Amino acid sequence: MKVRVLGSAAGGGLPQWNCGCANCARARAGDPFVPPRSQPSLAISADGARWSLLNASPDVRDQLAKANGLWPRAGTRDVPLDTVVISNADLDHVLGLLVLREALPHRIVTTAWIRDALLDHNAAFRLLAPAFHAVKLDEAIFLDRDETLEARLFPVPGKAPTWLAQLVPNAPEATLGLRVCDRRSGRRLVYAPGLRALDSGSWAELAAADLRFVDGTFWSDDELQRLRPAAPGAVQMGHLPIGGRDGSLARLSLLPGRTLYTHLNNTNPVLDARSSEAAEVRALGVEIAMDGMELEL
Ligand SMILES: [Zn+2]
Ligand SMILES: [Zn+2]
């Protein structure tokens, strides 16, 4: 299985257009230790020829322009894209679906809860209705036409998107992790970009993976409040912080295999490669995903 990190920042990216935090200012100024990052998405492939996306960020147009494996065949409009899986309806994970609206060669796989949330409350998404394929939690689907990559969506502790909170009650089908198993090798990837807590179910999924991409939105719970006192805390926003005694790093660093933090908010101190927080992550054997990074599993 081949994996390409299309975007490693959380919603807003780095720099975020309206943010003057230290990281955003340094990224704007071209500081080599705080390189710019685009909004969150992964591309995966069984063979490097045909690909699937895990979430579709508003930056998907630029992300695909930089990923030559995903370019259309010369002289055609034939793109080697099979499936786009959606793990929740946050705008940084779904706006790219509208960017990819021409022709729709791909399937959009998600739960009925997420499909209905998008189609019932957003007329523009109805353009995409024929491409949706709804699955139940833990239902097996194949991402690729050769049926090599078997995927399942599993529920994780999370928060329904803010824009939906007044419209639809939250449900286990609203915030998901994705497990992808390569049927040739039995190797497993797990992608969990939104994770409010490590409950026993999500912990078991992460522990069983050989390669895991985990919610690294915030280092500390009060990170946004330091910038804007009225802002909500990390856990309230649906993201377990990395640092501290109860943070995810202390537990994830115990797991074998490879662990990468992704979905990094622009305020997160780990985005500065020379910060003590980034050094702490590295010292515990955990990695920080980077746009354009390519991995093999
Ligand atoms: Zn910022
Ligand atoms: Zn997000």
Side-chain angles (χ1 to χ4, degrees):
M1 188 182 337
K2 293 177 189 299
V3 182
R4 181 182 171 95
V5 179
L6 295 181
S8 57
L14 172 70
Q16 177 173 311
W17 74 278
N18 66 341
C19 187
C21 77
N23 284 338
C24 287
R26 289 173 64 187
R28 259 182 218 108
D31 185 324
F33 297 102
V34 189
R37 290 163 185 266
S38 64
Q39 297 174 82
S41 182
L42 279 190
I44 61 174
S45 174
D47 54 9
R50 302 198 61 82
W51 292 80
S52 293
L53 302 188
L54 312 186
N55 291 332
S57 95
D59 297 324
V60 69
R61 181 180 167 281
D62 289 336
Q63 291 168 343
L64 296 188
K66 288 177 184 156
N68 58 10
L70 274 145
W71 292 351
R73 230 162 18 93
T76 74
R77 288 199 162 172
D78 182 14
V79 180
L81 177 62
D82 287 336
T83 306
V84 181
V85 183
I86 298 297
S87 72
N88 83 353
D90 279 334
L91 295 176
D92 55 319
H93 305 165
V94 301
L95 286 178
L97 293 174
L98 293 173
V99 177
L100 304 178
R101 69 192 173 280
E102 294 93 355
L104 296 177
H106 51 284
R107 288 187 313 169
I108 302 167
V109 169
T110 193
T111 57
W113 191 97
I114 292 175
R115 177 201 60 196
D116 294 348
L118 293 173
L119 299 186
D120 292 352
H121 302 288
N122 300 271
F125 278 91
R126 291 178 202 159
L127 279 171
L128 314 175
F132 274 92
H133 175 80
V135 290
K136 296 191 167 47
L137 294 176
D138 221 34
E139 178 183 336
I141 41 145
F142 292 105
L143 297 183
D144 56 321
R145 296 172 181 182
D146 296 335
E147 304 197 341
T148 304
L149 300 180
E150 184 184 306
R152 292 167 197 263
L153 290 164
F154 59 90
V156 300
K159 174 188 154 291
T162 309
W163 67 267
L164 270 167
Q166 307 302 320
L167 301 171
V168 195
N170 198 6
E173 290 80 12
T175 311
L176 310 159
L178 180 73
R179 176 208 314 167
V180 183
C181 187
D182 187 322
R183 295 212 298 169
R184 297 164 299 191
S185 63
R187 309 265 286 164
R188 268 190 200 197
L189 169 143
V190 163
Y191 185 53
L195 190 65
R196 178 184 240 163
L198 284 168
D199 67 345
S200 58
S202 42
W203 178 253
E205 290 287 353
L206 291 166
D210 302 289
L211 172 63
R212 54 192 83 80
F213 287 89
V214 186
D215 185 343
T217 311
F218 297 110
W219 176 262
S220 55
D221 194 57
D222 63 351
E223 202 167 298
L224 281 187
Q225 285 148 0
R226 287 182 214 171
L227 208 61
R228 189 165 60 84
V235 175
Q236 205 184 338
M237 292 178 75
H239 301 291
L240 177 65
I242 297 175
R245 208 161 40 110
D246 301 322
S248 60
L249 180 61
R251 293 187 65 191
L252 290 171
S253 61
L254 304 173
L255 294 176
R258 201 164 168 190
T259 303
L260 294 97
Y261 280 118
T262 192
H263 197 278
L264 299 146
N265 197 58
N266 56 75
T267 50
N268 193 324
V270 303
L271 292 177
D272 173 3
R274 289 196 295 190
S275 68
S276 59
E277 291 87 350
E280 190 178 334
V281 171
R282 289 194 298 263
L284 288 170
V286 175
E287 298 171 70
I288 296 162
M290 208 44 228
D291 288 24
M293 196 178 208
E294 290 182 335
L295 302 91
E296 284 236 27
L297 178 64

